[in-house]
Amino acid sequence: MRAVISDMDGVLYRGKNLIPGAKDFVTRLLERKTPFLFLTNNSEQTPIDLKRKLESLGIEGVREENFITSAMATAEFLRSQKPGATIYVIGGGGLASEMYRAGFSLSDSHADYVVVGKTSTFNFEMLKKAVRLIEKGAKFIGTNPDVIDPAEEGIEPACGTLLAAIEAATGKKPYIVGKPNPMMMLVAKRHLGCHAAETLMVGDRMDTDIVGGMEAGMKTALVLSGVTTKEMINDFPYLPNYVFNHVGEIDIEKLGE
C-alpha cells in the first residue's frame, strides 16, 4: 500500500474518547511520509475543527489539507449543478460554512435545495420547513446516509435518521453525496494523487466505508472499534480485505508485502 484514506468516527475516536492505537497509527503515517486523508461523513465540523479535535486528543502534526468532509463534497457537487443556488440547510456549522464558502445563499423561506446533515438541534420546525420547501420543488440532498454514529455512551442518531423523517413526510428520496457514493472517493483520490489499487480504505462501517472503498477499487480494512461488529460482517454480501480490532494494529508497509 502506498496511501491511506481513513474514516474518523469509530476509527480514531468515539465521541470525545481516543480509540486505543489511533495515535500510534497517525504517528506512523507522518513519520513514514505516507500520503493520507481523513475522509469523514461528519458534516458538522470544518477541517480546522477536526484538526483541533485531534490535537485535543493528543494527535499532533495533522494539517487541514488532510481532511475531506461530506459537507465539502456536498458543496462541490452542488456547485457543479447550480452555482449560486439558494439553499435551506439543516445541519451543523461546518455544513453552513461550506455552503457559504461555495458561494450559495442560505434561506429558510425559499430554496433550490434542501440540504440535510447531522445536527443535535433538529426539531419539528426544521422538519416542517424542509417538507414545505421540498413540496414546492426544492431538491432534497443528504450529506451522508449514516443512521447512527458511535458515541462515548454507545450510539446516537445521525443524518440518515433525519433524512428518513423528511422522506416519510414528503415521499421523496434524497440524493446522498457522502460515503458510499463514489464521488467522495474520487475527490479523495484526486487530492492524494494515488491510484486506487495502491490505496487502503480504513473504516468501521461495512455499509459505507468498506463498500465505498471496494467499489472505488481500493483495498479495504475494517476496524471493529466503531459500528460494525465481527458478528455483523457475514450479514453483507461482500467482505473487507482485512479485519482489525483497532487501527493501531494496521501497519500498511506489512500489508504491502
Side-chain angles (χ1 to χ4, degrees):
M1 296 298 110
R2 196 171 84 79
V4 170
I5 297 174
S6 176
D7 185 33
M8 298 183 69
D9 297 314
V11 176
L12 300 182
Y13 52 73
R14 289 179 67 102
K16 297 177 182 177
N17 297 326
L18 192 68
I19 287 172
K23 184 174 181 179
D24 292 339
F25 174 67
V26 177
T27 298
R28 285 196 295 272
L29 294 178
L30 291 168
E31 289 179 346
R32 295 171 180 174
K33 294 182 171 49
T34 302
F36 70 93
L37 279 174
F38 293 123
L39 188 69
T40 175
N41 270 351
N42 182 332
S43 65
E44 296 180 282
Q45 297 175 302
T46 64
I48 186 63
D49 294 328
L50 294 168
K51 176 179 181 292
R52 288 171 178 166
K53 177 165 186 173
L54 291 188
E55 289 172 347
S56 74
L57 294 172
I59 296 178
E60 304 281 349
V62 178
R63 300 175 298 165
E64 291 178 55
E65 294 78 12
N66 293 124
F67 300 93
I68 294 179
T69 70
S70 62
M72 296 166 66
T74 301
E76 186 171 321
F77 165 71
L78 292 177
R79 191 167 48 206
S80 73
Q81 295 291 302
K82 190 171 183 177
T86 300
I87 297 174
Y88 175 53
V89 171
I90 295 176
L95 182 56
S97 174
E98 290 299 334
M99 295 300 113
Y100 273 124
R101 193 193 306 271
F104 299 114
S105 300
L106 304 190
S107 173
D108 62 0
S109 59
H110 65 281
D112 300 303
Y113 297 95
V114 171
V115 178
V116 181
K118 179 183 175 182
T119 174
S120 60
T121 63
F122 184 68
N123 57 37
F124 183 78
E125 190 63 25
M126 292 178 180
L127 175 60
K128 184 170 67 175
K129 287 178 181 177
V131 168
R132 290 180 176 175
L133 287 169
I134 291 169
E135 287 300 303
K136 290 179 181 177
K139 303 297 189 296
F140 184 19
I141 306 292
T143 61
N144 68 86
D146 302 350
V147 176
I148 57 171
D149 277 339
E152 302 100 298
E153 64 277 10
I155 60 172
E156 63 185 21
C159 181
T161 304
L162 312 190
L163 295 175
I166 298 169
E167 181 179 341
T170 61
K172 303 283 180 64
K173 289 186 176 294
Y175 177 71
I176 297 174
V177 177
K179 297 177 293 182
N181 189 328
M183 183 180 301
M184 283 279 282
M185 303 300 178
L186 292 173
V187 170
K189 284 194 294 182
R190 275 203 308 270
H191 279 249
L192 282 176
C194 295
H195 295 296
E198 300 176 318
T199 304
L200 180 70
M201 177 68 212
V202 181
D204 69 309
R205 295 175 185 264
M206 287 289 290
D207 58 344
T208 56
D209 304 314
I210 302 306
V211 70
M214 178 190 72
E215 291 180 349
M218 303 175 189
K219 296 291 186 182
T220 59
L222 175 72
V223 291
L224 303 175
S225 51
V227 171
T228 301
T229 64
K230 191 172 185 179
E231 293 71 29
M232 293 165 61
I233 295 174
N234 287 329
D235 292 341
F236 296 87
Y238 48 86
L239 294 172
N241 296 103
Y242 311 99
V243 179
F244 299 97
N245 290 310
H246 56 74
V247 75
E249 295 178 349
I250 299 176
D251 186 331
I252 65 164
E253 290 190 352
K254 291 183 179 178
L255 295 184
E257 293 175 353

